[in-house]
Amino acid sequence: MSKVVKLERRDVIAIVTVNNPPVNALSAAVEGGILECINAAIDDSKVMAVTLTCAGRTFIAGADITEFDKLPKASAWNDLLAAIENSPKPIVAGIHGTALGGGLELALVCHFRVAINDAKLGLPEVKLGLLPGGGGTQRLPRAVGPELAARMIVSGDPISATEALKFGLIDELVEASETGSEAFARKVLAEKRPLRKLRDDSSKLAAAKADRSIITNAVASMTRRARGLEAPFAAAEAVRAAVDLPFEEGLKKERELFRKLVGGDQSKAQRYAFFAEREAKKVVGIPEGTKPRLVERVAIIGAGTMGGGIGMSFANAGIPVTLIEMGEEQLKRGMRVMQKNWEASAARGGIPADAPAKCMAMINGMVGIENVRDADLVIEAVFEMMAVKKEIFVQLDQFAKPGAVLASNTSYLNIDEMANETKRPQDVLGMHFFSPANVMKLCEIVRAAKTAPDALVTAVTLARKIAKVPVVVGVCDGFVGNRMLDQRDKQAQKLLFEGVLPQQIDAVVTQFGLPMGPFAMSDLVGLDGAWRSRKRMGIKSEIEDALCEAGRFGQKAGKGYYRYEGGSRAPLPDPEVEKLIAETLRRLGRKPHAVGDDEMLERMMYPVINAGALILEEGIGTRPGDIDVVWLYGFGWPIYRGGPMYWADQVGLNRIADRLAFYAKKTNDPSLEPVSLLKRLAAEGKGFATLASAVKAA
Ligand code: T1G
C-alpha cells in the first residue's frame, strides 16, 4: 500500500482513499497507488464493489503539473484508466471539492459518480495550454452531450454538481463523498445495476452527428477570446473527433493533440504562469506564521469609478462595505453606478437576477469620514493628488479604529509620505486596484517602509478573498505595472514623432498578443487628465496637446487618437488625426520616416524588460514571476507568452541587452541603456529565472 493511497474493506465494499495534499494531484505515486488498490480490490473475492474518494479538501484536482517537465516515465495512467473502466465490479467515484482534469477523467472511467452539493467538476487543461489527456475529450461528450462538453473543454470552466446531475455527469448528490459513495455502491449491488461504460454509449452524440452546428456554435463562442492560443482550438478538434470517429480512434486523436501541446512553448509558458501566480501570493521577508488581522467590515473613501469598483469587489465576496463620500450628491451618483453595473451583469446572465439587490444591501453609503470608525480595513480612492491623500490620512488617524489597516488605492504616489501623516505607519500600505476595479483581477499590495507584517498579510489575504490576484510591491513611482508600462508608452510616443501612425504602433502591440495598444489605451483612460497635469507642470507633448486642444479627449469625447462611432468603443483610424500629426511634425521640422514592425516591437517591449530588471535590482519587486503576474492580470499580457520576464528569457537577455544599447545610440536616448542586472545576467548567459530560486518565501 502506498503512503498516498489507502485501501480498506467494509464487508463487501472496498474503499480506496487518496491522500496527497494539498489538492490530491495525480502524481506518479498516486496513480500507482490507486492502480495497486483497484487491482487488490478486484482480486479480493469478498469485495463486491469499490469506491474511489479523497481525503482533505478536494477530490483529485488533476495531474501533478510539476511532473510535466520531468523526464517522461512509464506512467500507470493509461493502465489505471483501463483497470477501472474494465473492472468486473462496480466502481463509484465520490466527489467533493473540485474534480478537475485527470481527476474528472478518472471519475469518468468509473461506472458511477456521486458528488456533494458544492463540488465542482471540470476539464481546465486549456488553461495550461493543454487538452484533457486521459480520454476526457471522448468520454465527457458521451456523458453530457457534445455541446456542454465543448463548452467545458474549450473554455476550461467547471460546472457545479447540480448542473452535473442535470446533464447526467453524476448519478446522485450526496451529503458526504465517502459515505455517499459507499451507500451508492450498496444501492448498485442491491438493484443489480449493470456496469455502465461511457465509451460504449454514444446516444448523446446522435444530435451533433446530425447537426454539426451544435458543436460549431459552442466552439465559436468559446474560442472568441482565444486569439493566439493553440489549446482551445486543439480541444475543439478533439471534441469533434468524439462525434465523428469511433471511440478508440477518437482517443488516438486526443493523444496526438495532447502530445503536441504538452511539448509546445505555449503550454510551458502557461504552466509557468500557473505557478508564478501562486508563488506571488507568498509574502517574502515576514516572520513565519504571521496571521492576518480579522476584517469584517471595509470602508472605502470615494464613490467614484475606482471607489465604486472596489466596493463592488468586496460586496461580491459578501464583505460589508461602508462607502463614504464628502457630499450626498456624489454618494448617490456612486451608488447609482454600482447598482447599474450589477443590473447590467444580471441582465447578461453573469450573476443571478436577485444578486444586484443582495450586493447593494452590502453597501452602506455614508457622508463624512468619521464613518470609518467600525471598519477593520479602510481604502481611500480619492483624487490622485498627494495633498488630498495626506489630508485623508490625517483624518483616518483620528477616526479609524485602532488596528484598522489603512490602505491607499493610489496608482503612483508615495505611500511612505501618507504613512508619515499618521501616528500608526505600521498600519498603512497601498492596495492598487486596476480599472475597472470590479473586473480586473490584479491588486498591487504596496509595502511601505514601516508596514507591519500582519498588516501586509491582511491585505494579501483580503485580496485573495475578493478573487483578486495580489502581488506585493515596493514604493516607487508607479510601483511595478505602471512604471514598466510608462517605458513602453514613452517609446510609443517617440515612434509617433518619427511619423508612425497610432494605428500602426497599436497594431504591433495587439499582434504581439496584448489586448490593446498604447493609443487605444490612452483613449480609453482619457487624454484630458494627463493634459491638465502637463499644463500644471509646464510640460509639452505637442501631438497630444493638439488633440486635447481640439477637444479630442478620447472615448469619452467620441474621438481622441481614434474616432468612435455610434457609441461603439471600437477605435477607428481618423484621417483628421493623421493630418494633425503631419502638421505638428512639419511645424517641429521633423521628417517622418518608416519604422519596421520588428523594430517597433523591440523599441517598445525591451525597455519594459529593462524597467523590470531595474525594479528587481532595486528590490521593488521580489521575484521575476511577480512582475509577470502583474502584467498577466493588470494589462492582459498573453498567457501563452508567460509574462514579460519569462518572455525575455525566451528571447535571450543577451539579445535584449545588445538591442537596447543599439537603440540607445540610434535614437540618442541614454535611458535605453541596459541596466546593470540585465547586463550581468546577459554576460553570464543567464535568465531572470535564475533569480526566482534566490528568493525564499516566508
Ligand atoms: N499539480 C500540482 N500542484 C497543484 C495543482 C496541480 N494540478 N493544483 C494546485 N496545485 C498546488 C498549487 O501550486 C498550490 O501549491 C496548492 O496546490 C494550492 O493551490 C491528465 C493533463 C485545485 C482549484 O489545472 O485550479 O490533469 O502554492 O493555491 O486557490 O488530462 O489549484 O500551496 O505550494 O490554486 O484552493 C488539470 C489546477 C491538470 C487544476 C485549488 N488540473 N489547480 O485552488 O489553491 S492537467 C488543473 C487549480 C491534467 C489530465 C491533464 C487550483 C484548485 P502551493 P491553489 P486554490
Side-chain angles (χ1 to χ4, degrees):
M1 193 112 65
S2 83
K3 285 202 308 294
V4 288
V5 185
K6 79 175 182 5
L7 171 66
E8 61 173 306
R9 186 166 56 78
R10 289 183 201 146
D11 59 64
V12 297
I13 308 293
I15 315 276
V16 178
T17 309
V18 178
N19 185 13
N20 183 30
V23 296
N24 287 314
L26 272 173
S27 61
V30 168
E31 288 170 3
I34 300 174
L35 181 58
E36 191 186 335
C37 293
I38 292 288
N39 287 336
I42 291 171
D43 295 346
D44 182 340
S45 58
K46 296 191 192 67
V47 169
M48 306 294 283
V50 187
T51 66
L52 172 63
T53 60
C54 290
R57 60 181 174 141
T58 178
F59 191 76
I60 297 163
D64 185 332
I65 310 169
T66 61
E67 295 199 346
F68 283 116
D69 298 326
K70 292 177 188 152
L71 286 174
K73 57 181 126 344
S75 143
W77 182 230
N78 291 317
D79 303 346
L80 173 58
L81 293 168
I84 293 175
E85 191 167 55
N86 302 324
S87 160
K89 302 175 181 177
I91 299 181
V92 182
I95 295 168
H96 72 293
T98 51
L100 297 174
L104 180 55
E105 290 176 304
L106 264 189
L108 286 169
V109 289
C110 292
H111 306 102
F112 303 96
R113 289 160 289 282
V114 297
I116 67 171
N117 233 351
D118 64 359
K120 290 209 176 324
L121 300 89
L123 293 175
E125 287 87 341
V126 283
K127 296 182 179 179
L128 297 168
L130 299 168
L131 53 75
T137 64
Q138 307 303 306
R139 290 189 180 90
L140 189 63
R142 287 171 167 79
V144 302
E147 184 174 1
L148 176 60
R151 289 182 188 287
M152 289 174 68
I153 293 168
V154 175
S155 71
D157 295 336
I159 60 172
S160 67
T162 326
E163 285 169 286
L165 180 68
K166 186 173 144 215
F167 284 92
L169 180 52
I170 63 170
D171 300 282
E172 198 170 272
L173 287 174
V174 294
E175 283 304 306
S177 55
E178 187 184 305
T179 50
S181 51
E182 184 188 334
F184 193 85
R186 295 184 191 283
K187 187 157 66 172
V188 166
L189 293 173
E191 295 169 2
K192 296 190 176 42
R193 287 199 196 185
L195 301 191
R196 275 179 352 193
K197 289 185 188 179
L198 283 168
R199 60 181 297 148
D200 298 338
D201 176 6
S202 303
S203 56
K204 291 191 179 179
L205 303 180
K209 283 182 190 293
D211 171 7
R212 306 288 299 157
S213 69
I214 289 178
I215 289 222
T216 319
N217 298 340
V219 166
S221 62
M222 291 296 116
T223 47
R224 199 166 297 133
R225 290 187 308 280
R227 186 166 63 96
L229 286 162
E230 294 160 358
F233 298 94
E237 198 184 333
V239 174
R240 270 195 284 272
V243 177
D244 298 340
L245 302 174
F247 183 82
E248 278 306 331
E249 283 178 49
L251 219 46
K252 237 188 263 129
K253 184 72 186 161
E254 174 193 277
R255 285 201 188 119
E256 175 200 307
L257 291 165
F258 180 85
R259 263 196 298 278
K260 224 167 100 217
L261 289 172
V262 75
D265 294 340
Q266 291 203 357
S267 182
K268 286 198 182 76
Q270 291 178 241
R271 300 195 306 261
Y272 159 82
F274 174 86
F275 288 115
E277 181 193 333
R278 282 149 183 86
E279 204 51 28
K281 292 178 232 177
K282 297 170 187 168
V283 184
V284 175
I286 56 165
E288 180 80 30
T290 302
K291 294 261 173 294
R293 299 178 193 175
L294 177 66
V295 175
E296 289 173 319
R297 172 171 283 276
V298 173
I300 291 162
I301 303 170
T305 315
M306 289 308 287
I310 297 169
M312 290 180 72
S313 300
F314 281 97
N316 290 339
I319 299 173
V321 172
T322 302
L323 185 64
I324 293 171
E325 257 296 353
M326 299 311 149
E328 202 57 49
E329 215 9 73
Q330 300 94 314
L331 179 64
K332 284 211 182 82
R333 192 175 331 117
M335 301 277 282
R336 264 197 310 275
V337 170
M338 296 164 88
Q339 170 107 26
K340 267 184 35 223
N341 284 340
W342 271 314
E343 282 166 357
S345 301
R348 282 196 304 272
I351 55 177
D354 63 351
K358 282 186 186 156
C359 291
M360 281 307 288
M362 303 296 286
I363 308 283
N364 179 20
M366 305 291 277
V367 172
I369 199 163
E370 65 281 6
N371 292 293
V372 296
R373 67 172 66 81
D374 61 354
D376 310 296
L377 164 67
V378 184
I379 303 174
E380 66 80 15
V382 300
F383 194 60
E384 191 75 352
M385 261 181 79
M386 184 54 96
V388 176
K389 294 193 184 288
K390 279 185 173 177
E391 179 45 33
I392 291 284
F393 274 90
V394 168
Q395 296 182 53
L396 289 182
D397 205 19
Q398 188 185 348
F399 294 111
K401 70 180 182 185
V405 174
L406 310 179
S408 168
N409 173 57
T410 181
S411 46
Y412 274 90
L413 301 173
N414 186 313
I415 305 286
D416 290 322
E417 286 184 37
M418 299 176 205
N420 292 339
E421 294 300 308
T422 75
K423 290 186 285 304
R424 45 173 139 175
Q426 70 280 6
D427 297 337
V428 179
L429 46 73
M431 288 184 84
H432 173 214
F433 292 83
F434 281 64
S435 181
N438 52 313
V439 174
M440 296 304 284
K441 289 176 73 86
L442 178 65
C443 184
E444 284 182 322
I445 310 285
V446 189
R447 179 178 202 167
K450 297 177 190 137
T451 303
D454 68 334
L456 201 59
V457 169
T458 304
V460 170
T461 306
L462 253 287
R464 291 186 68 187
K465 207 162 172 188
I466 62 173
K468 297 297 178 189
V469 176
V471 178
V472 176
V473 298
V475 174
C476 71
D477 195 32
F479 312 128
V480 169
N482 286 337
R483 178 171 165 185
M484 293 169 76
L485 189 70
D486 285 354
Q487 294 311 311
R488 183 202 64 183
D489 295 351
K490 188 176 144 198
Q491 297 307 317
Q493 281 292 330
K494 288 183 73 166
L495 288 164
L496 205 59
F497 279 84
E498 289 177 27
V500 187
L501 293 176
Q503 57 268 32
Q504 291 168 320
I505 297 167
D506 278 0
V508 166
V509 173
T510 51
Q511 269 143 30
F512 178 76
L514 283 151
M516 197 177 264
F519 298 105
M521 206 169 190
S522 299
D523 275 359
L524 174 69
V525 171
L527 306 181
D528 44 333
W531 182 45
R532 275 197 298 277
S533 353
R534 281 198 304 276
K535 285 204 288 188
R536 244 198 327 272
M537 294 184 282
I539 297 172
K540 293 190 81 46
S541 176
E542 287 81 0
I543 293 177
E544 206 156 294
D545 292 347
L547 289 171
C548 291
E549 274 137 33
R552 300 183 74 105
F553 295 133
Q555 278 189 22
K556 63 175 98 170
K559 55 184 181 178
Y561 278 101
Y562 295 93
R563 60 192 163 83
Y564 300 85
E565 280 176 0
S568 147
R569 303 158 69 95
L572 302 172
D574 188 342
E576 284 304 307
V577 171
E578 293 177 27
K579 238 167 68 201
L580 179 148
I581 292 173
E583 272 155 26
T584 309
L585 296 187
R586 233 191 328 277
R587 182 162 40 83
L588 295 171
R590 301 284 183 104
K591 290 226 172 337
H593 63 266
V595 181
D597 286 1
D598 292 349
E599 175 174 334
M600 282 202 266
L601 186 69
E602 290 187 341
R603 286 178 55 183
M604 284 191 280
M605 301 313 276
Y606 290 176
V608 168
I609 305 305
N610 212 19
L614 190 53
I615 281 167
L616 291 171
E617 204 174 283
E618 293 170 354
I620 300 295
T622 42
R623 291 168 283 233
D626 289 10
I627 293 176
D628 288 337
V629 171
V630 164
W631 275 78
L632 286 166
Y633 289 101
F635 303 123
W637 179 276
I639 187 101
Y640 57 86
R641 295 186 192 276
M645 310 312 269
Y646 176 90
W647 172 72
D649 282 358
Q650 310 317 307
V651 170
L653 300 192
N654 237 331
R655 171 168 179 75
I656 293 176
D658 288 351
R659 298 301 286 170
L660 280 167
F662 170 73
Y663 290 123
K665 281 188 190 49
K666 177 178 179 184
T667 63
N668 188 21
D669 180 353
S671 77
L672 290 180
E673 285 296 343
V675 298
S676 49
L677 173 66
L678 177 56
K679 274 196 292 201
R680 175 173 68 77
L681 290 172
E684 293 165 2
K686 289 181 183 161
F688 290 115
T690 51
L691 302 176
S693 43
V695 178
K696 280 279 152 276

